[in-house]
Amino acid sequence: MQQSARWKTLLLWLVLVASLLVILPSVLPARMAAGLPGWLTAHRLTPGLDLTGGSRLVLDVSRDDIAAERLRTAIETVGNGLRAAGIPYGDLNGADDAVDVTVTAPDRVDAARQTLTGLDLGTLSEPEAGQFRITQSASVIDDAVAAASLGAVDAVRRRVESLRIPSLLVTRGERGRIVVSMPGLTDPQRVKDMLATVGRLSARLVDDSMPVNTAIEDGPPAGSEVLYSTGEPPVGYLLKRDDLFTAVDVASAQPAANGEPFVEFVLKADAADRLAAFTRNNSGRTIAILLDGQVISASQIQSAIDDGVGRLSGDFDAEGAANIARIVASGPLPAQLTILEERSIEPALGTTSLGTVALALAAAVAAVVAFMTFFYGVLGVIASLSLFFNVLVTFAVLALVGAPVSLSMIAGIVLTVGLAVDASVLIFERIREESTRGRSLRDAVTVGFGRARTTVLDASATMLIAVAVLFVLSAAPVRAFALAVGVGLLATLFTTFTLTYGLVRAWLGRSHPTHLPKGVRTGLFDRLNLRFMAVRNVIFLGTGAVSLIIAGLLIMDELRLGIDFTGGAAVEIQAKSGAVDTFDISARLTDAGVSVQSIDTPRDPRRALVRLTSQGEGENAEQTSVLVARGELEDDYDFRRVEVVGPAISGELIDTATLGFVAGLVALVAYIWIRFEWHFAIGAVIALAHDVFFTLGFLAVANIEFNISAVAALLTVAGYSLNDTMVVYDRIRENLRHFKRMPLPLIIDDAINRTLSRTVLTSATTLIALAALAFFGGEAIRTFALTLLFGVAIGTISSIYIAGPILILFRLRPERYRPGKGGAGPVTEATGANG
């Protein structure tokens, strides 16, 4: 036993020293941290974009573009294959992933069938004699999309790096998407403009075999097509399909000016030699330069181009020339990219958020420390020391993981501050209970820690299940919150049974107390002995009435869905002078064709949050509405925050939120069913449904936006509710084993009264922490904090007035737990009891 204690002490000190070393580079000034060894500074805490300011774009490869390109390639391949085999054909066209062609010579149908089969372009069928259809399978296109997405990460990085954005980060995100993070960059429009162009540069010879108007009316000759210029009005060109050179052949490109801006590019050696030979033999003909299928420049060959240097001139200004030069130099993207999501925040606003959440964290810790010290005296001081160690270990683990510290992550840490003392309260209340039964304080400490262990593990397990489901099935902000809560809970379990226990034993060894210290003031709850079950029918009736009201509110769509679920855009603006004029903003945007959903004015009259209605016209429609809104308002307003969520992301968020919530509930209920029995599982489910339903009603009444953070809050409320219910159920189960003839309502009343001090103290500390987050945390996380604040309060009530009475309603049989009736035997002092 002594050897085990030494190992625990050694492990504790190792974790403490390691945590301090990991956190040290993050808390020291940059100049001092620069002098530390590299292995120590490799895992610094880095703030996320919502705390520093900047922009984040989520891009996706356009599946339609990939499919269209493959269809175009398949058409060309079929035409080239049939011509090479000398097979006459007509009506070659493609649509809906299928290529149709008609062989005009009946005696060549067999040869055509053999040729088309050898091309291996897809499934070959013959709708009619002489007609062939090649259908490309969806899986082949999916593979092409996946390959293009994989290559798009490097292509996007090359393209955006040319803008010299500091701390730029381009990574591969979920579902093969590309995530571009740009700290400090408030307006990512230049980046979006750069990524809007695929960059397929090519040069083609103008076909002068017929006038372009004739080709437009009667169709172009074989091997040629009609393409148009980028200017207004567009000019048509009849061009050969064969490329003289492409973007792959370009060695470098840079903007230049000679009166008018242009782009000068240099070809690689092989391409330069080919161009020199071609221009030497085709003097007087015209070469057109194309970018993404549009003619941007056309010039006549005056003489042989021997140096491989070309010039692009067209309808663009100096900035446009610079952008085209960057696009050409960085190479083409694999396919057209679609902006699915944009989140931008002004650096000043991010810095303000960092200050407010840091204040919220400090206020929460200070309030919890004061609360615990007041009610537990020296034991409260010990719990507070463990809390500091808990927070230290949590931040150290997050630094090692490398997760950026975001608002949602700090919100999770603030929540764990409130939950961290729950284990200490459970243990201290057990110690106090054992002490009042006549045990010596030293024995009461040993038994108290032992008997509380199961309850602490059960209560923590319910919350860990909830956050694990959140982490696996939710979006990035919610995942950061779940990571923080999960790490915090594991740190709590570690500190509770090592540091807290060790400090309490050390205090006993130094002070040799024989009784609980006078600073423990929770005994006032012992004298209450309330009859909770006596009013259960009244509570049920009141709960039913309120539930009907909430159901009516939800049916009437009073729950205000945020853009996370509806799609659309939200921009936070600040007037450059004076107060915002909501009527003027609405009128200007409406006149510009932008649909305004709502304009909210927070406490600051200079600021407004403008929500733009989802356009419902594809992913880029939301981006267009924000671009128009910025153009209309930027002269009078600063754009502090921009959030754009396209239909694809909003649809996925709905699916993941629903799946995550249902999966979380199933996992939590399964755990309770296994640990207890079906009566308890049903009671926990009904209490949980009560809490979630009432929290939705609160959001509707308070007109709080229901967004992805609210979903995280709801599942956290569910975990907290079950956490609280588990403590009561553990004590009910213990009472069932001890009291042989007591009626079930009295057993439940006794269990609730015995855990009332823990329920009140834990709820109070959690509510204090959440109140600090709501009051000091700023607008960005106030919705999240307020939702949790109400949910924790209603969860505390349901663990008393819903979870207990449900056992009576479903006729839980106490005799099953009594000796000689097929239940468990009596609990002895040696084995301990749950609760």
Side-chain angles (χ1 to χ4, degrees):
M1 192 71 178
Q2 189 174 3
Q3 187 73 16
S4 175
R6 288 198 185 112
W7 275 109
K8 285 183 179 179
T9 302
L10 179 60
L11 177 62
L12 182 66
W13 280 106
L14 285 175
V15 173
L16 176 60
V17 172
S19 299
L20 287 172
L21 287 175
V22 171
I23 292 297
L24 188 63
S26 301
V27 298
L28 287 177
R31 184 166 37 179
M32 296 179 64
L36 296 174
W39 60 269
L40 194 57
T41 59
H43 299 285
R44 292 174 60 96
L45 284 170
T46 56
L49 292 181
D50 52 358
L51 296 178
T52 60
S55 298
R56 179 178 181 269
L57 300 176
V58 178
L59 312 167
D60 197 16
V61 171
S62 172
R63 191 182 193 281
D64 292 341
D65 189 56
I66 295 287
E69 180 62 28
R70 289 188 63 85
L71 186 64
R72 187 163 46 248
T73 302
I75 292 173
E76 293 180 0
T77 302
V78 168
N80 293 335
L82 293 176
R83 285 195 298 272
I87 300 172
Y89 65 90
D91 297 332
L92 176 59
N93 59 81
D96 299 329
D97 300 333
V99 177
D100 292 312
V101 64
T102 301
V103 176
T104 56
D107 61 331
R108 300 291 289 163
V109 170
D110 291 337
R113 184 182 301 110
Q114 184 176 358
T115 299
L116 295 176
T117 302
L119 295 177
D120 194 23
L121 295 174
T123 304
L124 182 65
S125 61
E126 298 181 45
E128 296 182 14
Q131 293 183 357
F132 293 93
R133 171 171 293 175
I134 301 174
T135 304
Q136 301 182 84
S137 68
S139 61
V140 172
I141 298 176
D142 290 339
D143 292 341
V145 172
S149 176
L150 192 61
V153 176
D154 289 334
V156 169
R157 184 181 294 111
R158 289 195 305 270
R159 181 77 60 86
V160 182
E161 279 179 348
S162 65
L163 293 175
R164 310 285 189 217
I165 298 173
S167 305
L168 172 72
L169 183 63
V170 181
T171 57
R172 185 174 171 84
E174 299 174 351
R175 303 173 187 262
R177 290 167 180 155
I178 303 99
V179 179
V180 183
S181 299
M182 298 159 283
L185 184 67
T186 306
D187 182 10
Q189 191 58 47
R190 288 181 63 202
V191 176
K192 292 190 289 185
D193 291 341
M194 287 282 289
L195 297 177
T197 302
V198 175
R200 293 194 184 99
L201 182 77
S202 62
R204 294 187 186 182
L205 186 66
V206 173
D207 186 350
D208 52 11
S209 62
M210 69 168 63
V212 66
N213 290 335
T214 303
I216 294 174
E217 294 176 2
D218 300 335
S224 298
E225 62 179 333
V226 176
L227 297 176
Y228 295 87
S229 67
T230 57
E232 289 292 339
V235 177
Y237 290 85
L238 179 61
L239 305 176
K240 293 288 188 180
R241 290 182 179 272
D242 297 328
D243 296 325
L244 301 178
F245 61 83
T246 65
V248 178
D249 299 314
V250 177
S252 64
Q254 60 183 6
N258 185 13
E260 294 292 331
F262 62 91
V263 177
E264 186 176 82
F265 61 90
V266 179
L267 296 177
K268 297 176 182 177
D270 292 344
D273 291 342
R274 293 198 309 270
L275 183 63
F278 182 85
T279 54
R280 192 176 299 115
N281 300 325
N282 290 275
S283 179
R285 303 191 68 178
T286 301
I287 293 179
I289 306 296
L290 285 73
L291 186 63
D292 292 346
Q294 290 184 298
V295 178
I296 61 173
S297 179
S299 57
Q300 191 176 44
I301 302 173
Q302 302 294 335
S303 59
I305 303 175
D306 297 323
D307 56 2
V309 177
R311 173 182 291 190
L312 300 176
S313 59
D315 186 18
F316 44 75
D317 54 16
E319 183 177 350
N323 284 340
I324 292 176
R326 294 188 184 99
I327 290 170
V328 172
S330 61
L333 301 174
Q336 185 71 44
L337 297 177
T338 301
I339 301 175
L340 301 182
E341 184 179 8
E342 174 190 348
R343 299 190 188 268
S344 302
I345 184 170
E346 187 183 53
L349 186 59
T351 304
T352 302
S353 298
L354 177 60
T356 55
V357 295
L359 179 61
L361 181 60
V365 172
V368 169
V369 167
F371 195 83
M372 289 296 294
T373 304
F374 174 78
F375 275 100
Y376 286 107
V378 65
L379 293 179
V381 173
I382 289 173
S384 300
L385 290 174
S386 295
L387 177 61
F388 283 119
F389 183 70
N390 185 355
V391 174
L392 175 66
V393 171
T394 301
F395 274 114
V397 173
L398 293 176
L400 290 174
V401 171
V405 180
S406 61
L407 285 172
S408 56
M409 185 175 287
I410 293 181
I413 294 172
V414 172
L415 177 61
T416 57
V417 167
L419 295 175
V421 297
D422 183 38
S424 296
V425 170
L426 281 168
I427 292 169
F428 294 163
E429 286 303 292
R430 269 298 190 177
I431 293 173
R432 187 179 62 83
E433 186 176 328
E434 297 300 328
S435 180
T436 56
R437 290 177 178 175
R439 291 184 186 274
S440 68
L441 186 56
R442 187 174 296 273
D443 289 342
V445 167
T446 302
V447 175
F449 270 92
R451 291 191 170 185
R453 179 175 283 108
T454 301
T455 303
V456 170
L457 293 175
D458 278 339
S460 299
T462 55
M463 185 64 78
L464 284 172
I465 289 172
V467 298
V469 173
L470 275 177
F471 185 81
V472 173
L473 298 177
S474 294
V478 181
R479 192 177 297 115
F481 164 79
L483 176 64
V485 175
V487 171
L489 282 172
L490 293 175
T492 297
L493 292 175
F494 175 75
T495 56
T496 298
F497 297 105
T498 55
L499 182 60
T500 303
Y501 182 73
L503 290 175
V504 171
R505 300 294 298 184
W507 168 67
L508 290 175
R510 286 179 175 273
S511 301
H512 304 289
T514 57
H515 302 286
L516 279 173
K518 294 182 179 179
V520 178
R521 298 181 173 88
T522 57
L524 59 93
F525 296 100
D526 295 343
R527 297 187 293 271
L528 296 178
N529 196 24
L530 301 174
R531 296 292 303 276
F532 295 101
M533 296 302 100
V535 296
R536 65 180 183 274
N537 292 330
V538 176
I539 297 297
F540 278 163
L541 184 61
T543 299
V546 175
S547 297
L548 289 176
I549 296 173
I550 294 174
L553 291 174
L554 298 181
I555 291 173
M556 292 186 295
D557 290 330
E558 292 297 321
L559 186 64
R560 184 159 61 96
L561 297 178
I563 64 171
D564 290 329
F565 298 117
T566 63
V571 294
E572 182 180 332
I573 58 177
Q574 179 172 302
K576 295 182 178 180
S577 63
V580 296
D581 186 340
T582 57
F583 295 104
D584 177 63
I585 293 171
S586 179
R588 288 162 68 175
L589 294 181
T590 302
D591 291 343
V594 178
S595 179
V596 178
Q597 178 180 339
S598 64
I599 302 178
D600 298 329
T601 52
R603 289 171 291 183
D604 186 349
R606 297 181 57 208
R607 292 166 49 206
L609 181 63
V610 183
R611 291 181 176 86
L612 307 179
T613 306
S614 175
Q615 304 301 303
E617 299 173 359
E619 299 294 337
N620 292 322
E622 321 297 345
Q623 291 290 333
T624 302
S625 65
V626 171
L627 184 63
V628 173
R630 187 183 288 274
E632 288 292 323
L633 302 176
E634 62 184 354
D635 290 340
D636 301 317
Y637 297 93
D638 292 321
F639 280 63
R640 306 193 73 193
R641 181 165 58 95
V642 176
E643 294 184 0
V644 183
V645 180
I649 292 291
S650 62
E652 289 172 9
L653 287 177
I654 292 174
D655 294 340
T656 56
T658 304
L659 177 62
F661 195 76
V662 172
L665 294 186
V666 171
L668 290 168
V669 171
Y671 178 80
I672 294 177
W673 200 311
I674 293 171
R675 290 288 293 130
F676 295 86
E677 62 170 285
W678 72 268
H679 298 85
F680 292 96
I682 295 298
V685 169
I686 294 176
L688 183 150
H690 165 275
D691 299 340
V692 171
F693 194 61
F694 271 56
T695 305
L696 287 174
F698 165 75
L699 293 174
V701 171
N703 197 31
I704 294 176
E705 183 177 270
F706 185 75
N707 51 30
I708 194 66
S709 295
V711 173
L714 279 179
L715 193 51
T716 306
V717 166
Y720 183 88
S721 173
L722 287 176
N723 181 313
D724 212 19
T725 301
M726 290 287 286
V727 174
V728 176
Y729 277 179
D730 266 344
R731 186 56 71 100
I732 291 174
R733 185 171 58 175
E734 180 181 341
N735 282 355
L736 288 169
R737 292 169 176 166
H738 277 288
F739 303 115
K740 299 181 179 180
R741 291 181 175 81
M742 183 181 290
L744 183 58
L746 294 183
I747 286 176
I748 296 173
D749 278 341
D750 181 80
I752 295 174
N753 278 289
R754 285 175 179 269
T755 57
L756 188 60
S757 56
R758 173 263 162 199
T759 299
V760 172
L761 292 175
T762 299
S763 298
T765 52
T766 305
L767 290 172
I768 287 172
L770 292 173
L773 188 65
F775 188 79
F776 297 108
E779 295 291 336
I781 54 177
R782 182 165 286 117
T783 295
F784 181 83
L786 287 175
T787 305
L788 273 181
L789 195 64
F790 178 86
V792 168
I794 202 70
T796 302
I797 295 172
S798 72
S799 66
I800 296 174
Y801 286 109
I802 302 296
I806 289 296
L807 299 179
I808 301 174
L809 183 65
F810 281 90
R811 301 182 184 278
L812 176 67
R813 297 168 57 192
E815 61 271 14
R816 294 185 56 187
Y817 291 84
R818 293 169 183 167
K821 299 292 184 180
V827 180
T828 66
E829 295 295 341
T831 59
N834 295 331

